[in-house]
Each structure stands twice: as C-alpha cells, then as structure tokens.
Coordinates of all heavy atoms in Angstrom, one line a residue:
L1 N 60.9 72.0 -36.7 CA 60.0 72.8 -37.3 C 60.5 73.5 -38.6 O 59.8 73.8 -39.5 CB 59.5 73.9 -36.4 CG 58.5 73.5 -35.3 CD1 58.2 74.6 -34.4 CD2 57.2 73.0 -35.9
S2 N 61.8 73.7 -38.6 CA 62.4 74.5 -39.7 C 62.2 73.8 -41.1 O 62.1 74.4 -42.1 CB 63.9 74.7 -39.5 OG 64.6 73.5 -39.3
S3 N 62.2 72.4 -41.1 CA 61.9 71.7 -42.3 C 60.4 71.7 -42.7 O 60.1 71.6 -43.8 CB 62.5 70.3 -42.3 OG 61.8 69.6 -41.3
V4 N 59.6 71.8 -41.7 CA 58.1 71.8 -41.9 C 57.6 73.2 -42.3 O 56.8 73.3 -43.2 CB 57.4 71.3 -40.6 CG1 55.9 71.4 -40.8 CG2 57.8 69.8 -40.4
A5 N 58.0 74.1 -41.5 CA 57.6 75.5 -41.7 C 58.7 76.4 -41.3 O 58.8 76.8 -40.2 CB 56.3 75.8 -40.9
P6 N 59.6 76.8 -42.3 CA 60.8 77.6 -42.0 C 60.5 78.9 -41.3 O 61.3 79.4 -40.5 CB 61.4 77.8 -43.4 CG 60.8 76.8 -44.3 CD 59.5 76.4 -43.7
E7 N 59.3 79.5 -41.5 CA 59.0 80.8 -40.9 C 58.4 80.6 -39.5 O 58.1 81.6 -38.8 CB 58.0 81.5 -41.8 CG 56.6 80.9 -41.8 CD 56.4 79.6 -42.6 OE1 57.3 79.2 -43.2 OE2 55.3 79.0 -42.4
A8 N 58.2 79.4 -39.0 CA 57.6 79.2 -37.7 C 58.5 79.6 -36.6 O 59.7 79.5 -36.7 CB 57.2 77.7 -37.6
D9 N 57.9 80.1 -35.6 CA 58.5 80.5 -34.4 C 58.3 79.5 -33.3 O 57.1 79.3 -32.9 CB 58.0 81.9 -34.0 CG 58.5 82.4 -32.6 OD1 59.5 81.8 -32.1 OD2 58.0 83.3 -32.1
Y10 N 59.3 78.8 -32.8 CA 59.2 77.8 -31.8 C 58.4 78.2 -30.6 O 57.5 77.5 -30.1 CB 60.5 77.3 -31.3 CG 61.3 76.4 -32.3 CD1 62.2 77.0 -33.2 CD2 61.0 75.1 -32.5 CE1 62.9 76.2 -34.1 CE2 61.7 74.3 -33.4 CZ 62.6 74.9 -34.2 OH 63.3 74.1 -35.1
T11 N 58.6 79.4 -30.1 CA 57.9 79.9 -28.9 C 56.4 80.0 -29.2 O 55.6 79.6 -28.4 CB 58.5 81.2 -28.4 OG1 59.9 81.1 -28.2 CG2 57.8 81.7 -27.2
R12 N 56.1 80.5 -30.3 CA 54.7 80.7 -30.7 C 54.0 79.3 -30.8 O 52.9 79.1 -30.4 CB 54.5 81.5 -31.9 CG 53.0 81.8 -32.2 CD 52.9 82.7 -33.4 NE 53.3 82.0 -34.6 CZ 54.0 82.6 -35.6 NH1 54.4 83.9 -35.5 NH2 54.4 81.9 -36.6
V13 N 54.7 78.4 -31.5 CA 54.1 77.0 -31.7 C 53.8 76.4 -30.3 O 52.8 75.8 -30.1 CB 55.0 76.1 -32.5 CG1 54.5 74.7 -32.6 CG2 55.1 76.7 -34.0
I14 N 54.8 76.4 -29.4 CA 54.7 75.8 -28.1 C 53.6 76.5 -27.3 O 52.8 75.9 -26.6 CB 56.0 75.8 -27.3 CG1 57.0 74.9 -28.1 CG2 55.8 75.3 -25.9 CD1 56.6 73.5 -28.3
T15 N 53.5 77.8 -27.4 CA 52.5 78.6 -26.7 C 51.1 78.2 -27.2 O 50.2 77.9 -26.4 CB 52.7 80.1 -26.9 OG1 53.9 80.5 -26.3 CG2 51.6 80.9 -26.2
D16 N 51.0 78.1 -28.5 CA 49.7 77.7 -29.1 C 49.3 76.2 -28.7 O 48.2 75.9 -28.4 CB 49.7 77.8 -30.6 CG 49.7 79.3 -31.1 OD1 49.4 80.2 -30.2 OD2 50.1 79.5 -32.2
L17 N 50.3 75.4 -28.7 CA 50.1 74.0 -28.3 C 49.7 73.9 -26.8 O 48.8 73.1 -26.5 CB 51.4 73.2 -28.5 CG 51.3 71.7 -28.4 CD1 50.2 71.1 -29.3 CD2 52.6 71.0 -28.6
N18 N 50.2 74.7 -26.0 CA 49.8 74.7 -24.6 C 48.4 75.2 -24.3 O 47.8 74.9 -23.3 CB 50.8 75.6 -23.7 CG 52.1 74.9 -23.4 OD1 52.1 73.7 -23.2 ND2 53.1 75.6 -23.3
R19 N 47.8 75.9 -25.3 CA 46.4 76.3 -25.2 C 45.4 75.2 -25.5 O 44.2 75.3 -25.2 CB 46.2 77.4 -26.2 CG 46.9 78.7 -25.9 CD 46.5 79.8 -26.9 NE 47.2 81.0 -26.6 CZ 47.4 82.0 -27.5 NH1 46.9 81.9 -28.7 NH2 48.1 83.0 -27.1
V20 N 45.9 74.1 -26.0 CA 45.0 72.9 -26.3 C 44.7 72.2 -25.0 O 45.6 71.9 -24.3 CB 45.7 72.0 -27.3 CG1 44.7 70.8 -27.6 CG2 46.0 72.7 -28.6
K21 N 43.4 72.1 -24.7 CA 43.0 71.4 -23.5 C 42.1 70.3 -23.8 O 41.4 70.3 -24.9 CB 42.3 72.4 -22.6 CG 43.0 73.7 -22.2 CD 44.3 73.4 -21.5 CE 45.0 74.6 -21.2 NZ 46.4 74.4 -20.8
A22 N 42.0 69.3 -22.9 CA 41.1 68.2 -23.1 C 40.3 68.0 -21.8 O 40.9 68.2 -20.7 CB 41.8 66.9 -23.5
V23 N 39.1 67.5 -21.9 CA 38.3 67.2 -20.7 C 37.6 65.9 -21.0 O 37.2 65.6 -22.1 CB 37.3 68.4 -20.5 CG1 36.3 68.5 -21.6 CG2 36.7 68.2 -19.1
K24 N 37.4 65.2 -19.9 CA 36.7 63.9 -19.9 C 35.3 64.1 -19.6 O 35.0 64.8 -18.6 CB 37.4 62.9 -19.0 CG 36.9 61.5 -19.1 CD 37.7 60.6 -18.1 CE 37.2 59.2 -18.2 NZ 38.0 58.3 -17.3
L25 N 34.3 63.6 -20.4 CA 32.9 63.8 -20.2 C 32.2 62.5 -20.1 O 32.6 61.5 -20.8 CB 32.3 64.6 -21.3 CG 32.8 66.0 -21.5 CD1 32.2 66.6 -22.8 CD2 32.5 66.9 -20.4
S26 N 31.2 62.4 -19.3 CA 30.3 61.2 -19.3 C 28.9 61.6 -19.8 O 28.4 62.6 -19.3 CB 30.2 60.6 -17.9 OG 31.5 60.1 -17.5
M27 N 28.3 60.9 -20.7 CA 27.0 61.2 -21.2 C 26.3 59.9 -21.6 O 26.8 59.1 -22.4 CB 27.1 62.2 -22.4 CG 25.8 62.7 -22.9 SD 25.9 64.1 -24.1 CE 27.1 63.5 -25.3
N28 N 25.1 59.7 -21.0 CA 24.3 58.5 -21.3 C 25.1 57.3 -21.0 O 25.0 56.3 -21.8 CB 23.8 58.6 -22.7 CG 22.8 59.7 -23.0 OD1 22.1 60.2 -22.1 ND2 22.8 60.2 -24.2
G29 N 25.9 57.2 -20.0 CA 26.7 56.1 -19.6 C 27.9 55.8 -20.5 O 28.6 54.8 -20.3
K30 N 28.2 56.7 -21.4 CA 29.4 56.6 -22.2 C 30.4 57.7 -21.8 O 30.0 58.8 -21.4 CB 29.1 56.8 -23.7 CG 28.1 55.7 -24.2 CD 27.8 55.8 -25.6 CE 26.8 54.8 -26.1 NZ 26.4 55.0 -27.5
E31 N 31.7 57.4 -22.0 CA 32.7 58.4 -21.6 C 33.4 58.8 -22.9 O 33.7 58.1 -23.8 CB 33.8 57.7 -20.7 CG 33.2 57.5 -19.3 CD 34.2 57.0 -18.3 OE1 35.3 56.5 -18.7 OE2 34.0 57.3 -17.1
F32 N 33.7 60.1 -22.9 CA 34.4 60.8 -24.0 C 35.5 61.7 -23.5 O 35.5 62.2 -22.4 CB 33.4 61.7 -24.8 CG 32.2 60.9 -25.3 CD1 31.0 60.8 -24.5 CD2 32.2 60.4 -26.6 CE1 29.9 60.1 -25.0 CE2 31.1 59.8 -27.1 CZ 29.9 59.6 -26.3
V33 N 36.4 61.9 -24.4 CA 37.4 63.0 -24.2 C 37.2 64.0 -25.3 O 37.2 63.6 -26.5 CB 38.9 62.4 -24.2 CG1 39.9 63.6 -24.1 CG2 39.1 61.4 -23.1
V34 N 37.1 65.2 -24.9 CA 36.8 66.3 -25.9 C 37.9 67.3 -25.8 O 38.3 67.7 -24.6 CB 35.4 67.0 -25.6 CG1 35.2 68.1 -26.7 CG2 34.3 65.9 -25.7
R35 N 38.6 67.7 -26.9 CA 39.6 68.7 -26.8 C 39.2 70.0 -27.5 O 38.3 70.0 -28.3 CB 40.9 68.1 -27.5 CG 40.8 68.0 -29.0 CD 42.2 68.0 -29.6 NE 42.1 67.7 -31.0 CZ 41.9 68.7 -32.0 NH1 41.7 69.9 -31.6 NH2 41.8 68.4 -33.2
T36 N 39.9 71.0 -27.1 CA 39.6 72.3 -27.7 C 40.2 72.3 -29.1 O 41.0 71.4 -29.5 CB 40.3 73.5 -26.9 OG1 41.7 73.2 -26.8 CG2 39.7 73.6 -25.5
E37 N 39.8 73.3 -29.9 CA 40.3 73.4 -31.2 C 41.7 73.8 -31.3 O 42.2 74.6 -30.4 CB 39.4 74.5 -32.0 CG 39.5 74.3 -33.5 CD 38.3 74.8 -34.2 OE1 37.2 74.7 -33.6 OE2 38.4 75.1 -35.3
L38 N 42.5 73.4 -32.3 CA 43.8 73.8 -32.4 C 43.8 75.3 -32.9 O 43.1 75.6 -33.9 CB 44.6 72.9 -33.4 CG 44.8 71.5 -33.1 CD1 45.5 70.8 -34.2 CD2 45.5 71.3 -31.8
R39 N 44.6 76.1 -32.2 CA 44.6 77.5 -32.6 C 46.0 77.9 -33.0 O 47.0 77.3 -32.6 CB 44.1 78.3 -31.4 CG 42.7 78.0 -31.0 CD 42.3 78.7 -29.8 NE 42.0 80.1 -30.1 CZ 41.9 81.0 -29.2 NH1 41.9 80.7 -27.9 NH2 41.6 82.3 -29.6
G40 N 46.1 78.9 -33.8 CA 47.4 79.5 -34.2 C 48.2 78.4 -34.9 O 47.7 77.8 -35.9
D41 N 49.4 78.2 -34.5 CA 50.3 77.3 -35.1 C 50.5 76.0 -34.4 O 51.4 75.2 -34.6 CB 51.7 78.0 -35.3 CG 51.7 79.1 -36.3 OD1 50.9 79.0 -37.2 OD2 52.6 80.0 -36.2
A42 N 49.6 75.6 -33.5 CA 49.7 74.4 -32.8 C 49.8 73.2 -33.7 O 50.5 72.2 -33.3 CB 48.5 74.2 -31.8
Y43 N 49.1 73.2 -34.8 CA 49.1 72.1 -35.7 C 50.5 71.8 -36.2 O 50.9 70.6 -36.5 CB 48.2 72.3 -36.9 CG 48.7 73.3 -37.9 CD1 49.4 72.9 -39.0 CD2 48.6 74.7 -37.7 CE1 49.9 73.8 -39.9 CE2 49.1 75.6 -38.6 CZ 49.7 75.1 -39.7 OH 50.3 76.0 -40.6
L44 N 51.4 72.8 -36.2 CA 52.8 72.6 -36.7 C 53.6 71.6 -35.8 O 54.5 70.9 -36.3 CB 53.5 73.9 -36.8 CG 53.0 74.8 -38.0 CD1 53.7 76.2 -37.9 CD2 53.3 74.2 -39.3
A45 N 53.3 71.6 -34.5 CA 54.0 70.7 -33.6 C 53.7 69.2 -34.0 O 54.6 68.4 -34.0 CB 53.5 70.9 -32.2
F46 N 52.4 68.9 -34.4 CA 52.1 67.6 -34.8 C 52.7 67.3 -36.2 O 53.2 66.2 -36.4 CB 50.6 67.4 -34.9 CG 49.9 67.5 -33.5 CD1 49.3 68.7 -33.1 CD2 49.9 66.4 -32.7 CE1 48.8 68.8 -31.8 CE2 49.3 66.5 -31.4 CZ 48.7 67.6 -31.0
K47 N 52.6 68.2 -37.1 CA 53.2 68.1 -38.4 C 54.7 67.8 -38.3 O 55.2 67.0 -39.1 CB 52.9 69.3 -39.2 CG 53.3 69.2 -40.7 CD 52.8 70.4 -41.5 CE 53.2 70.3 -42.9 NZ 52.8 71.4 -43.7
A48 N 55.4 68.5 -37.4 CA 56.8 68.3 -37.3 C 57.3 66.9 -36.9 O 58.3 66.5 -37.3 CB 57.4 69.3 -36.3
V49 N 56.4 66.2 -36.1 CA 56.8 64.9 -35.7 C 56.1 63.8 -36.5 O 56.1 62.6 -36.2 CB 56.5 64.7 -34.2 CG1 57.3 65.6 -33.3 CG2 55.0 64.8 -33.9
G50 N 55.3 64.2 -37.5 CA 54.7 63.3 -38.4 C 53.5 62.6 -37.8 O 53.1 61.5 -38.2
A51 N 52.8 63.3 -36.9 CA 51.6 62.8 -36.2 C 50.4 63.6 -36.6 O 50.5 64.8 -36.9 CB 51.8 62.8 -34.7
R52 N 49.2 63.0 -36.5 CA 48.0 63.7 -36.7 C 47.5 64.2 -35.4 O 47.7 63.6 -34.3 CB 46.9 62.7 -37.2 CG 47.3 62.2 -38.6 CD 46.3 61.1 -39.0 NE 45.0 61.7 -39.3 CZ 44.0 61.0 -39.6 NH1 44.0 59.7 -39.5 NH2 42.8 61.6 -39.9
P53 N 46.9 65.4 -35.4 CA 46.3 65.9 -34.1 C 45.3 64.9 -33.6 O 44.6 64.2 -34.4 CB 45.7 67.2 -34.5 CG 46.4 67.6 -35.8 CD 46.7 66.3 -36.5
P54 N 45.1 64.9 -32.3 CA 44.0 64.0 -31.8 C 42.7 64.4 -32.3 O 42.4 65.6 -32.5 CB 44.2 64.1 -30.3 CG 45.0 65.3 -30.0 CD 45.8 65.6 -31.3
Q55 N 41.8 63.5 -32.4 CA 40.4 63.8 -32.7 C 39.8 64.8 -31.7 O 40.2 64.8 -30.6 CB 39.5 62.6 -32.8 CG 39.9 61.6 -33.8 CD 39.1 60.3 -33.8 OE1 38.1 60.3 -33.1 NE2 39.5 59.3 -34.5
R56 N 38.8 65.6 -32.2 CA 38.2 66.6 -31.3 C 37.4 65.8 -30.2 O 37.3 66.2 -29.1 CB 37.2 67.5 -32.1 CG 37.9 68.5 -33.0 CD 38.3 69.7 -32.2 NE 37.5 70.3 -31.2 CZ 36.7 71.3 -31.4 NH1 36.5 71.9 -32.6 NH2 36.0 71.8 -30.4
V57 N 36.7 64.7 -30.6 CA 35.9 63.9 -29.7 C 36.3 62.5 -29.9 O 36.4 62.0 -31.0 CB 34.4 64.1 -30.0 CG1 33.6 63.2 -29.0 CG2 34.0 65.5 -29.9
L58 N 36.7 61.9 -28.7 CA 37.1 60.5 -28.7 C 36.3 59.7 -27.7 O 36.2 60.1 -26.5 CB 38.6 60.4 -28.4 CG 39.2 59.0 -28.3 CD1 39.2 58.3 -29.6 CD2 40.6 59.1 -27.7
Q59 N 35.6 58.7 -28.2 CA 34.8 57.9 -27.2 C 35.8 56.8 -26.6 O 36.5 56.2 -27.3 CB 33.7 57.2 -27.9 CG 32.8 56.4 -26.9 CD 31.6 55.8 -27.6 OE1 31.2 56.1 -28.7 NE2 30.9 55.0 -26.8
L60 N 35.7 56.7 -25.3 CA 36.6 55.8 -24.6 C 35.9 54.4 -24.5 O 34.7 54.2 -24.6 CB 36.9 56.3 -23.2 CG 37.6 57.6 -23.2 CD1 37.8 58.1 -21.7 CD2 38.9 57.5 -23.9

C-alpha cells in the first residue's frame, strides 16, 4: 500500500475491506451475486494488487 497510497493505514484498509459483503440472489430463474458498495479505503486493497474491484452485480 505504501507505493499506492503512502498515507494509507493498513488496519483501516483491511477493516474497510472486511465490510464488503456479497450475497447470491435468484430472480426470474437467473442467479446473481450482488456485493455491497466499497466504503472507506477498501478500494486501495484492489489498487495495491493491480486488480479491479468486483462488479456490484454479476450474473452467474
């Protein structure tokens, strides 16, 4: 994280990342995974590893 956001606090980033939840839903015979919004500094965890955050809604 220090190269991505030098001012970032590891504990806060991990705490914010742990707040992200996902739930599987079925609607009209289709299945989806829906995640909560990224809050605080959770996005920095993805940025640090060069990954994009998962989509908010993903059809399976």
Side-chain angles (χ1 to χ4, degrees):
L1 283 175
S2 60
S3 63
V4 173
E7 72 288 351
D9 173 15
Y10 286 97
T11 303
R12 187 176 64 221
V13 171
I14 297 302
T15 299
D16 291 343
L17 189 60
N18 280 327
R19 291 181 182 162
V20 178
K21 305 297 179 201
V23 66
K24 190 174 181 180
L25 300 173
S26 294
M27 187 167 49
N28 296 330
K30 296 179 182 178
E31 292 188 332
F32 300 88
V33 174
V34 181
R35 71 160 173 83
T36 58
E37 198 149 337
L38 297 179
R39 299 176 72 193
D41 289 333
Y43 74 95
L44 289 174
F46 294 97
K47 188 174 180 180
V49 297
R52 297 171 72 188
Q55 296 177 11
R56 288 280 319 264
V57 178
L58 178 65
Q59 185 175 351
L60 300 178

